[in-house]
Amino acid sequence: MAKKNTRNTKNKIIAAAWSLFYEQGYDNTTIEEIVEESGTSKGSFYHYFGGKDALLGTLSELFDNKYQELIPQLDGQMDSFDKLMFLNQELFLMIDNSVSMDLLARLYSSQLITSGRKHLLDHNRVYYKLLRQITAEGQQNGDLRCDVSVNEFVKAYALCERALIYDWCICNGEYSLCQYAKQMMPLFLAGFRSKKEDNL
């Protein structure tokens, strides 16, 4: 139980921080405000983070927490490809509505130059585990092609998401990421769908 409470405390701090970063900007947000917004303590904050800058690397955890929330909403009768498109839409809607584009761009930049941990490529994340699970189910159900490995498909899916986010950032968020992805993700990944419909 202690481990769950520990995780909840950390998640509260992360969620509060990113909410404040979006509302009032990174530079205008203090650690005291994050602690107050999260309903935790300064001791808890420094237990997990050396300072405010350390929170910039937690965006992947914020995304994973969103995926955890979405898992119960996945309809067991839904085609696996459609499940993946649903996850993409919900995540990108969250980005559109609550993630600062400047901070997202900063995270992507840091992942390019860091010699340390590349959070976005950590295959132990909820993100990758869930994608692998849905892809494997899709292949078993005949929704997705079986001549492409699960890992190859997941890599292609993640690559498409990163490409869309990167383009959105360099275009200064001048369009809705969610709406553009709704058009483009199915087009980018259509070749991975099973051809079973053609044989009906």
Side-chain angles (χ1 to χ4, degrees):
M1 187 60 116
K3 189 172 181 182
K4 186 174 182 183
N5 288 337
T6 297
R7 192 166 60 242
N8 286 342
T9 300
K10 185 179 181 184
N11 288 344
K12 282 180 185 176
I13 294 169
I14 292 170
W18 282 94
S19 175
L20 289 168
F21 292 162
Y22 183 76
E23 289 170 13
Q24 57 194 40
Y26 176 79
D27 292 331
N28 294 326
T29 299
T30 66
I31 289 173
E32 289 75 16
E33 288 173 318
I34 294 169
V35 168
E36 183 180 345
E37 180 77 13
S38 65
T40 59
S41 67
K42 219 168 195 180
S44 293
F45 181 92
Y46 284 108
H47 175 71
Y48 296 109
F49 307 106
K52 195 170 70 168
D53 285 352
L55 284 159
L56 291 176
T58 65
L59 187 57
S60 58
E61 293 181 54
L62 186 73
F63 291 167
D64 281 354
N65 291 340
K66 180 64 177 178
Y67 274 106
Q68 291 278 26
E69 290 175 21
L70 293 171
I71 289 171
Q73 298 178 42
L74 292 171
D75 184 347
Q77 302 304 311
M78 193 186 292
D79 178 292
S80 295
F81 190 87
D82 293 335
K83 285 182 184 178
L84 293 167
M85 295 307 105
F86 167 76
L87 291 175
N88 170 260
Q89 279 294 286
E90 291 296 315
L91 181 71
F92 280 15
L93 183 62
M94 183 191 87
I95 293 173
D96 264 342
N97 293 331
S98 61
V99 177
S100 161
M101 190 198 63
D102 290 340
L103 291 182
L104 187 58
R106 194 181 299 190
L107 170 71
Y108 270 72
S109 298
S110 72
Q111 292 288 280
L112 287 171
I113 61 174
T114 185
S115 57
R117 183 177 167 215
K118 291 187 184 284
H119 302 278
L120 295 178
L121 297 180
D122 181 356
H123 284 262
N124 290 315
R125 287 178 51 203
V126 171
Y127 173 75
Y128 285 107
K129 289 179 181 177
L130 185 57
L131 293 181
R132 287 195 298 268
Q133 177 189 328
I134 294 173
T135 302
E137 287 171 1
Q139 289 183 336
Q140 288 171 3
N141 298 336
D143 300 331
L144 298 171
R145 287 170 43 180
C146 292
D147 60 335
V148 177
S149 74
V150 168
N151 286 338
E152 285 173 317
F153 177 84
V154 169
K155 182 175 182 178
Y157 179 94
L159 184 151
C160 289
E161 285 202 324
R162 287 197 299 269
L164 287 165
I165 292 172
Y166 176 80
D167 186 71
W168 184 68
C169 287
I170 62 173
C171 290
N172 294 315
E174 63 187 25
Y175 55 85
S176 165
L177 177 62
C178 178
Q179 287 304 311
Y180 190 61
K182 189 173 185 177
Q183 294 176 281
M184 302 310 295
M185 282 292 283
L187 291 176
F188 288 157
L189 298 169
F192 290 98
R193 296 197 86 158
S194 166
K195 302 296 184 189
K196 64 179 182 179
E197 293 86 357
D198 297 339
N199 299 323
L200 295 178

